[in-house]
Amino acid sequence: MTGNPVHTALWPAPLASGPVDATVSVPGSKSVTNRALVLAALSSEPGWLRRPLRSRDTLLMAEALRALGVGIEEGMGPEGSGEAWRVIPAGLHGPATVDVGNAGTVMRFLPPVAALADGPVRFDGDPRSYERPLHGVIDALRALGARIDDDGRGALPMTVHGAGALDGGAVEIDASSSSQFVSALLLSAPRFNQGVEVRHVGAALPSLPHIRMTVDMLRAAGAQVDTPDSGGERNVWRVSPSALLGRDLTIEPDLSNAQPFLAAALITGGRVTIPDWPARTTQPGDALREIFTEMGGSCELTEEGLTFTGSGRVRGIDVDLGDVGELTPGIAAVAALADSESVLRGVAHLRLHETDRLAALTKEINALGGDVTETEDGLRIRPRPLLGGVFHTYDDHRLATAAAVLGLAVEGVQVENVATTGKTLPDFTGLWTGMLDSGARTAAPARRA
């Protein structure tokens, strides 16, 4: 976690006047959009991405691929079906410069792509990106035959000297700090001369649903992916060399970005519907159905989407979030408003995300009067009456949305740099105020029982 930012651009988080009652259409999934862009860029034929997310992270990915020679055109989709990107594969080439911003998917997924380009590709980004681990990808690519200049940092900035091809083969990596190390190698592996066999060695892998998402999307694009060990997808992945198919893919709504809106229903004892919630998905956000139900709500999944209803009570929870760490900030915010203690476990790797999320959540919730302590691998949250104040976000989109959740029940919360939500959720403030304005019923918001 970096030091306190200057108090600029403070956004007064709206206080809920009663139980919310709204339908909120959440934009497309960042994780699916950026994986789909990489796979489409490496395909043997053009493809369509319908309803892609247009946010800072996905626009950075699209611009980086364009810099490497890939055609990405705006369009209305086949037969005028709606906003879409037409992705036209081309020979990858340098020299090129990639701005990763602070997007983990861009800084990790694109170095293997750059190794397939003809020429040097320089990677740079926001100051925080220099602090985020990249050694797993760098070391693995070197072992597979790539040449990379990083001055021994194992981090950005760096230059990948593409040679037009990569041998590939077997490689061992420690991906315990980020599952994206595994996904990065798998996504480009069909284009490696020998494919790849990735073996994870080290502590438990976090965020396994994201690796399952990568595997599912590779298979849907025509790749052969085997997970031969008895632990399923936890330790070994093999991808054979092959051509990838151009696809006509509709991007699912981002279920993790639905979290603050579902939390609003839980905290206010209201009801929120998220249209187009998929019946089957590899998105980690799908776990919210179970987690928020355990914390006091109920949900119904229909063809129209997911409707979540709060009960008027918010309960504490003891939960391992190792597979769904990105949900931790929002769950922590709800837990700070619950009627009993919560323990969030399995998320030590969050110290290496956009900021040190565990330290940031502890400091900012406690600054409002909370009682949060860090554990070795998570947080212990003892609910206390909270007061208003400035909630710093450290350029982290999920801290900003967590602060908005707290503001529903705590008067006077001011969110510093709420614009950082544009990383994955454009116009968050518009969606948030729209939810509150669209049908808040006149009754007191749910409080601790």
Side-chain angles (χ1 to χ4, degrees):
M1 183 182 68
T2 56
N4 277 346
V6 178
H7 291 197
T8 57
L10 298 180
W11 178 67
L15 186 72
S17 62
V20 300
D21 188 357
T23 296
V24 181
S25 294
V26 177
S29 163
K30 177 208 73 174
S31 297
V32 175
T33 298
N34 274 356
R35 282 166 173 78
L37 279 169
V38 172
L39 291 173
L42 296 175
S43 295
S44 59
E45 56 193 354
W48 285 98
L49 303 185
R50 306 195 201 196
R51 287 195 261 176
L53 174 66
R54 288 174 171 83
S55 71
R56 187 184 185 215
D57 279 17
T58 60
L59 293 174
L60 285 168
M61 179 68 84
E63 284 305 308
L65 291 169
R66 288 183 178 118
L68 292 171
V70 178
I72 302 177
E73 301 175 351
E74 298 281 350
M76 287 301 294
E79 301 172 356
S81 55
E83 291 188 0
W85 277 333
R86 177 74 161 167
V87 182
I88 304 170
L92 302 171
H93 62 76
T97 298
V98 169
D99 176 10
V100 309
N102 191 19
T105 51
V106 181
M107 72 178 70
R108 292 165 182 151
F109 291 178
L110 286 189
V113 177
L116 298 170
D118 184 7
V121 181
R122 177 169 174 78
F123 287 80
D124 209 335
D126 297 352
R128 171 61 181 172
S129 71
Y130 294 4
E131 304 172 23
R132 300 186 68 181
L134 199 55
H135 55 84
V137 174
I138 293 172
D139 293 347
L141 286 175
R142 284 181 176 143
L144 296 173
R147 178 186 159 207
I148 300 173
D149 292 337
D150 68 335
D151 294 331
R153 289 182 302 270
L156 295 177
M158 69 178 187
T159 298
V160 178
H161 294 274
L166 194 67
D167 288 341
V171 66
E172 290 187 349
I173 63 170
D174 181 352
S176 55
S177 60
S178 176
S179 68
Q180 289 176 352
F181 294 166
V182 174
S183 289
L185 297 170
L186 300 184
L187 286 168
S188 292
R191 291 280 300 272
F192 298 170
N193 294 337
Q194 302 173 41
V196 80
E197 178 183 286
V198 179
R199 184 177 298 273
H200 164 66
V201 292
L205 266 171
S207 305
L208 277 168
H210 277 129
I211 297 180
R212 297 189 188 107
M213 177 187 294
T214 298
V215 170
D216 280 4
M217 292 183 69
L218 275 162
R219 287 172 173 161
Q224 180 180 336
V225 186
D226 297 317
T227 55
D229 67 313
S230 59
E233 298 178 346
R234 290 186 177 268
N235 295 310
V236 179
W237 301 262
R238 292 177 185 155
V239 180
S240 301
S242 67
L244 294 173
L245 307 175
R247 300 185 63 203
D248 182 349
L249 176 66
T250 300
I251 307 296
E252 297 174 353
D254 193 312
L255 307 188
S256 294
N257 278 339
Q259 181 182 38
F261 306 101
L262 300 181
L266 179 57
I267 288 168
T268 68
R271 178 176 61 225
V272 168
T273 297
I274 308 294
D276 302 318
W277 193 288
R280 177 190 175 276
T281 182
T282 51
Q283 287 194 61
D286 195 45
L288 289 167
R289 292 192 288 163
E290 179 179 350
I291 293 169
F292 277 173
T293 295
E294 187 174 343
M295 296 187 81
S298 61
C299 63
E300 180 183 12
L301 184 62
T302 67
E303 291 183 358
E304 285 72 36
L306 180 77
T307 297
F308 188 85
T309 306
S311 64
R313 177 188 177 190
V314 181
R315 297 192 293 263
I317 191 171
D318 186 329
V319 61
D320 188 327
L321 298 175
D323 279 356
V324 293
E326 65 195 52
L327 304 180
T328 301
I331 293 170
V334 173
L337 302 170
D339 62 9
S340 57
E341 181 177 291
S342 293
V343 178
L344 312 184
R345 295 177 282 105
V347 288
H349 61 286
L350 294 188
R351 295 186 171 100
L352 300 170
H353 275 225
E354 279 81 347
T355 188
D356 179 342
R357 284 179 170 167
L358 300 185
L361 286 164
T362 300
K363 183 173 184 178
E364 298 306 317
I365 294 175
N366 287 350
L368 301 182
D371 184 0
V372 182
T373 55
E374 283 192 62
T375 64
E376 181 179 352
D377 71 338
L379 299 172
R380 183 178 299 273
I381 303 170
R382 301 175 180 88
R384 297 285 186 272
L386 301 181
L387 302 172
V390 174
F391 194 106
H392 299 103
T393 61
Y394 309 92
D395 293 325
D396 188 325
H397 56 132
R398 301 211 188 276
L399 284 176
T401 54
V405 168
L406 289 169
L408 291 171
V410 181
E411 188 172 3
V413 173
Q414 298 184 79
V415 186
E416 178 265 335
N417 190 20
V418 73
T420 194
T421 54
K423 176 179 170 66
T424 61
L425 185 53
D427 194 30
F428 166 72
T429 57
L431 290 169
W432 195 248
T433 55
M435 171 191 70
L436 293 172
D437 293 343
S438 66
R441 290 168 278 157
T442 54
R447 305 291 185 180
R448 289 191 285 273

